[in-house]
Amino acid sequence: MCINDFFLLLCNSLFAEDAANTKIIASGTTGDCSWTLTADGVLTVSGDGDMEDYEHYMMPWRDYTEVIRTAVIMQGVTSIGEYAFHGCSSLTSIVISDLVTSIGDHAFHGCRDLSSIIIPDSVTRIGENAFIGCCGLTSIIIPDSVTWLGEDAFAGCRGLTSIIIPDSVTSIREGIFSDCCGLTSIIIPNLVTSISDYAFSDCSSLTSIIIPDSVKSIGESAFKNCCDLTSIIIPNSVISIGKRAFAGCSGLTSIIIPDSVMKIGEEVFDECSGLTAINVEESNTAYTSVDGVLFNKDMTLLIICPCDKNGNYSIPDSVTWIGDYAFSNCRNLTSIVIPDSVTNIGDFAFYLCNGLISINIPDSVTSIGDWAFRDCSSLTSISISCSVTNIGIDAFDGCNGLTAINVEKSNTAYSSVDGVLLNKNRTKLIVSPCGKNGSYSIPNSVKKIGDFAFAGCRGLTSIIIPDSVTSIGDFVFSGCSSLTSITIPNSVKKIGNSVFSGCSSLTSIINLNTIPQHVDDIFNDVDTDTCILHVPANAVSVYKNANNWMNIKNIIAIEEEAAQ
């Protein structure tokens, strides 16, 4: 074969291959536009006017989401519709004409292989969730023409290392860059007035951010879990800082609250494990700080103690209220002195203070909030003074070392027997300390076992319920992982939700009632194949057909067991 013949054959082969690649395999119309898809994965949208908006996975090329590799938006098309390319997981590039003015909500949602995109300066609006989950994107330039960036627009773009926000943008909306864990720095434009909830949450590689003095509010969880952020300057324009705004920013060591701030949300610096000081400018009229601890202006409310406070800490005598989450996650504090000026201890006030060995509650305290000492695992005992009239839900939950809760005899609302907390007349058992071990007999005066009463008592192997008890609350024995057997007397007419959840060692339940109590989800984590339910002989068939009780595979008569 001569060279000319070979060249001619090669050209014909290439032409045939190119023709095969550009063969149209699907086509249609959408709104004012038409579309074609060729065999090489190129989707072309052409026409004059707007592309249609679609419902979830209802775009006309939905059957080809794994085939489309390139999208071309031709001249004449003025918008990219909602959900237009949602889930096009093989899409790697897109060409957008300079007549497009808007990118719809969820337009490129989940296009995980999309590595780059050029947004023309004709675009003024980028919709909600427009690029969410585009984890292959490494950089993006937003043109100055854009005035609207929708909520969660770039959320989950984990490969994104840099982004330029134009000066035309005035609001950083909710979740817009959340979970962009590759983003290292960002500059917020000078006209932005608000940073919304979750805007930069979980941007774990973010080391620096510049907030302009136009910003008036920082939203809830705005910078949550930005663990590489070592410093941040809050400008003197900021009036409010939302709940958990900087929670989990473990790299922060100190922060200054300017005099403009009038409102600070709960848990704002929770889990900031490196934070040693919160300092407030003296001219601030709402807040103040002493020794790096945040208070209201007149120092009657202790708001936040920084998580990295160590050793011993004495609360100032001016304080009457220890706020919700005030010492939450202060894991290195071993002792806290509460003055007799304090009347209220807030919800979760000492949550996860697992280095706290002992604490004295003074006679002035009247209320202890919900979960106030939750997970204070080093506490071994606690004394409730005579003045306490309210103890919140699960106040001592997770205090695994706690063996006794002792109440002063003169207390008019509560009492204690063998370190277990009860109401004053001992008709309600409120809570057993988590560190109680072995066997425990409930006093004969008790009529009701309160919600969560024995929750997390992992060392208890046996609990004896007297026939004075008529009601067992929700989650009462949840997490009692060493409990092997229990007898429910026939006096018990009510059993709450999830009573035995987490009782993984439970092998025997004796229920003396002839009529099964109505129960919901009480056997979570109980091995219903091996656990045996013993009931009166005349009630076996009833239990086998009763809601939830029927989940126990082995239901036998008490008399039958005795005969065996």
Side-chain angles (χ1 to χ4, degrees):
M1 181 184 292
C2 68
I3 293 176
N4 287 339
D5 291 338
F6 176 78
F7 181 74
L8 181 61
L9 181 62
L10 179 62
C11 287
N12 288 336
S13 175
L14 291 172
F15 179 79
E17 183 179 345
D18 186 59
N21 285 339
T22 57
K23 179 184 177 182
I24 294 174
I25 59 173
S27 63
T29 59
T30 171
D32 297 323
C33 306
S34 60
W35 63 277
T36 60
L37 176 63
T38 54
D40 56 356
V42 177
L43 176 72
T44 303
V45 181
S46 58
D48 294 302
D50 291 340
M51 189 188 296
E52 193 175 351
D53 287 332
Y54 312 105
E55 297 294 327
H56 186 251
Y57 277 119
M58 292 303 292
M59 61 280 201
W61 42 83
R62 59 186 175 275
D63 293 333
Y64 303 95
T65 55
E66 295 183 4
V67 175
I68 299 168
R69 288 175 172 77
T70 302
V72 180
I73 311 299
M74 298 292 286
Q75 289 287 338
V77 179
T78 55
S79 73
I80 298 175
E82 294 179 4
Y83 290 95
F85 300 98
H86 181 211
C88 290
S89 55
S90 299
L91 184 68
T92 59
S93 63
I94 184 162
V95 179
I96 304 174
S97 81
D98 57 11
L99 292 181
V100 170
T101 59
S102 69
I103 298 173
D105 298 348
H106 298 271
F108 298 98
H109 184 160
C111 296
R112 59 176 183 264
D113 284 349
L114 188 64
S115 57
S116 65
I117 189 169
I118 297 174
I119 300 173
D121 56 15
S122 55
V123 173
T124 60
R125 185 185 189 279
I126 297 175
E128 297 176 4
N129 299 281
F131 294 94
I132 188 170
C134 293
C135 49
L137 274 178
T138 56
S139 66
I140 193 165
I141 297 174
I142 302 171
D144 290 337
S145 56
V146 173
T147 58
W148 177 278
L149 291 174
E151 294 178 2
D152 297 297
F154 299 96
C157 293
R158 298 184 172 188
L160 200 63
T161 57
S162 65
I163 192 162
I164 297 174
I165 304 172
D167 290 337
S168 51
V169 173
T170 59
S171 178
I172 305 296
R173 287 183 171 80
E174 184 171 331
I176 188 167
F177 298 108
S178 62
D179 198 26
C180 290
C181 54
L183 198 63
T184 57
S185 64
I186 198 157
I187 298 173
I188 296 173
N190 288 325
L191 295 180
V192 169
T193 57
S194 65
I195 300 172
S196 296
D197 300 349
Y198 298 91
F200 298 96
S201 66
D202 297 298
C203 291
S204 55
S205 298
L206 193 65
T207 56
S208 68
I209 188 161
I210 297 174
I211 302 175
D213 57 13
S214 56
V215 172
K216 294 182 178 180
S217 65
I218 298 172
E220 179 179 336
S221 300
F223 297 97
K224 180 175 71 73
N225 292 335
C226 293
C227 51
D228 280 358
L229 196 63
T230 55
S231 66
I232 192 164
I233 297 173
I234 300 173
N236 204 27
S237 56
V238 172
I239 297 170
S240 68
I241 302 173
K243 180 180 178 180
R244 294 185 65 81
F246 298 97
C249 293
S250 54
L252 278 179
T253 56
S254 65
I255 198 156
I256 297 173
I257 307 295
D259 58 20
S260 59
V261 174
M262 294 290 105
K263 182 180 180 182
I264 298 175
E266 290 179 349
E267 301 178 271
V268 66
F269 301 112
D270 188 43
E271 297 180 83
C272 292
S273 55
L275 192 65
T276 57
I278 304 163
N279 298 309
V280 180
E281 290 185 355
E282 288 186 12
S283 52
N284 189 300
T285 59
Y287 300 100
T288 189
S289 60
V290 176
D291 296 328
V293 177
L294 181 67
F295 301 86
N296 65 345
K297 190 62 178 180
D298 62 5
M299 291 185 65
T300 56
L301 172 65
L302 192 155
I303 301 170
I304 305 167
C305 177
C307 290
D308 202 28
K309 265 285 191 206
N310 295 309
N312 304 323
Y313 177 72
S314 295
I315 297 172
D317 291 339
S318 59
V319 173
T320 60
W321 198 299
I322 300 172
D324 296 347
Y325 301 93
F327 291 91
S328 174
N329 277 287
C330 290
R331 299 170 187 250
N332 297 320
L333 281 175
T334 55
S335 174
I336 298 171
V337 178
I338 303 175
D340 56 14
S341 57
V342 171
T343 58
N344 287 271
I345 296 172
D347 298 344
F348 293 95
F350 300 98
Y351 173 50
L352 273 172
C353 290
N354 47 27
L356 195 61
I357 299 168
S358 63
I359 194 162
N360 181 54
I361 299 174
D363 289 345
S364 56
V365 172
T366 59
S367 178
I368 298 172
D370 298 343
W371 295 284
F373 295 93
R374 185 177 186 179
D375 292 335
C376 291
S377 55
S378 297
L379 272 180
T380 56
S381 66
I382 196 160
S383 296
I384 307 296
S385 65
C386 60
S387 57
V388 174
T389 56
N390 177 68
I391 298 174
I393 297 169
D394 243 5
F396 307 103
D397 177 50
C399 296
N400 296 329
L402 191 65
T403 57
I405 302 166
N406 298 309
V407 181
E408 287 188 9
K409 288 183 179 181
S410 55
N411 189 296
T412 58
Y414 298 100
S415 64
S416 60
V417 176
D418 297 327
V420 174
L421 181 67
L422 302 101
N423 64 348
K424 185 61 180 178
N425 60 9
R426 300 179 182 177
T427 56
K428 180 181 179 181
L429 192 152
I430 300 168
V431 65
S432 170
C434 290
K436 225 164 185 30
N437 294 310
S439 180
Y440 175 71
S441 296
I442 296 172
N444 290 326
S445 59
V446 172
K447 296 180 180 179
K448 181 178 181 179
I449 304 173
D451 297 345
F452 301 95
F454 293 93
C457 292
R458 299 174 186 175
L460 281 176
T461 56
S462 173
I463 299 170
I464 299 170
I465 305 172
D467 56 14
S468 58
V469 173
T470 60
S471 174
I472 297 173
D474 297 338
F475 296 93
V476 164
F477 305 108
S478 63
C480 292
S481 54
S482 298
L483 190 65
T484 57
S485 64
I486 196 158
T487 298
I488 301 169
N490 60 12
S491 57
V492 174
K493 304 305 177 187
K494 182 180 178 182
I495 296 178
N497 297 331
S498 302
V499 166
F500 297 110
S501 65
C503 294
S504 54
S505 299
L506 194 61
T507 57
S508 174
I509 302 170
I510 299 174
N511 193 337
L512 298 176
N513 281 264
T514 55
I515 301 173
Q517 302 91 341
H518 175 77
V519 291
D520 288 317
D521 299 323
I522 66 169
F523 299 117
N524 294 335
D525 301 316
V526 174
D527 189 342
T528 53
D529 290 328
T530 59
C531 185
I532 300 173
L533 174 60
H534 310 267
V535 298
N538 60 349
V540 171
S541 60
V542 181
Y543 275 89
K544 285 183 176 180
N545 291 286
N547 185 39
N548 273 279
W549 294 108
M550 64 192 298
N551 293 334
I552 299 288
K553 301 296 187 294
N554 298 305
I555 302 176
I556 65 173
I558 294 171
E559 289 84 349
E560 178 184 328
E561 176 202 11
Q564 291 174 354

